Amino acid sequence: MNRRKYPPARNTVNKQTPSPEVKKPFRWIPGLLPTILALVGVWIPYKAQQISISQACIARVDSEESRVTEKTGALTAALGVFVSKTINPAVSADAYYSAAEKALYAARELTVYAPEPYRDKVMDAFWGVEDLMQISAHLKPREFERLAINRFNLLNIGYDAYRSSKDEERRLCTQDDPPPFVNEMLMRYLTFINS
């Protein structure tokens, strides 16, 4: 059997002409919602990470400042006892040198924790104690005493500058970009891990 395939018959009675396409003014809105959700899904973890990084940075700065403040308080107290021994003419040489040794110990202990600019001021106070120790407990020339007191005052100025620098580090911790010292610490850590 030989069947021929004929094209289907056209229905000319109900033929509709295609209407021109109507442009919808807001057809991009359905695609906008997934895009917004994707951006929010990326932004929220990013901000959470930034917040946790800044909180860790601030905690590190606070910890370091607390340690240095504690050691500075110990040094200041030891210097106060030592200076009181230099003023008292009836103090024994043993008590005088014992107070000086405690002040020197506190100064050396502080140099372990203090950063570089403040460490210089601590060492100035250290050398001021050394100057006063070299003077006899009963013969104290006023010039050396004034020099030592000036060195002790430099310690206060250095501590104020140190506190200001820590406030600046805290401010840098709250910025979106990590502060330079965080990047430096991260690079040291990565180098340590890779070695």
Side-chain angles (χ1 to χ4, degrees):
M1 269 209 200
N2 203 359
R3 287 196 181 192
R4 289 175 103 183
K5 295 189 177 180
Y6 294 103
R10 294 185 183 186
N11 189 355
T12 54
V13 177
N14 290 331
K15 186 174 182 184
Q16 296 178 351
T17 59
S19 63
E21 187 175 322
V22 178
K23 292 193 174 192
K24 297 178 184 176
F26 299 106
R27 68 175 184 236
W28 49 270
I29 289 180
L32 185 63
L33 183 63
T35 305
I36 291 173
L37 291 176
L39 289 175
V40 167
V42 169
W43 183 76
I44 289 175
Y46 171 76
K47 286 311 275 184
Q49 179 186 20
Q50 290 298 104
I51 289 170
S52 68
I53 287 173
S54 67
Q55 286 175 343
C57 179
I58 289 171
R60 183 194 61 79
V61 170
D62 287 345
S63 171
E64 180 181 315
E65 183 181 21
S66 172
R67 195 172 37 236
V68 170
T69 300
E70 177 186 337
K71 300 299 180 188
T72 299
L75 174 60
T76 305
L79 287 175
V81 170
F82 176 62
V83 169
S84 73
K85 301 285 185 196
T86 63
I87 295 171
N88 185 357
V91 71
S92 69
D94 290 337
Y96 179 77
Y97 287 114
S98 174
E101 287 170 358
K102 289 178 183 174
L104 291 174
Y105 177 80
R108 278 299 188 180
E109 190 175 19
L110 178 57
T111 59
V112 172
Y113 298 105
E116 185 57 41
Y118 182 47
R119 188 178 309 137
D120 295 340
K121 304 301 183 199
V122 172
M123 289 309 297
D124 278 341
F126 178 85
W127 294 121
V129 173
E130 284 280 325
D131 288 344
L132 286 178
M133 278 185 74
Q134 291 175 4
I135 301 169
S136 167
H138 300 290
L139 281 173
K140 304 178 202 91
R142 295 288 174 204
E143 179 183 339
F144 284 110
E145 285 181 3
R146 268 188 256 114
L147 177 64
I149 297 300
N150 286 340
R151 287 183 172 190
F152 298 159
N153 289 335
L154 287 176
L155 178 69
N156 294 334
I157 293 168
Y159 182 68
D160 290 340
Y162 168 75
R163 294 286 300 259
S164 297
S165 72
K166 290 299 163 187
D167 291 339
E168 178 64 19
E169 282 186 32
R170 272 190 213 86
R171 188 188 66 74
L172 288 174
C173 286
T174 58
Q175 292 180 346
D176 281 342
D177 295 332
F181 63 88
V182 172
N183 289 335
E184 181 181 325
M185 287 177 14
L186 182 62
M187 291 308 293
R188 279 193 222 150
Y189 176 71
L190 292 175
T191 305
F192 176 74
I193 288 176
N194 292 333
S195 62

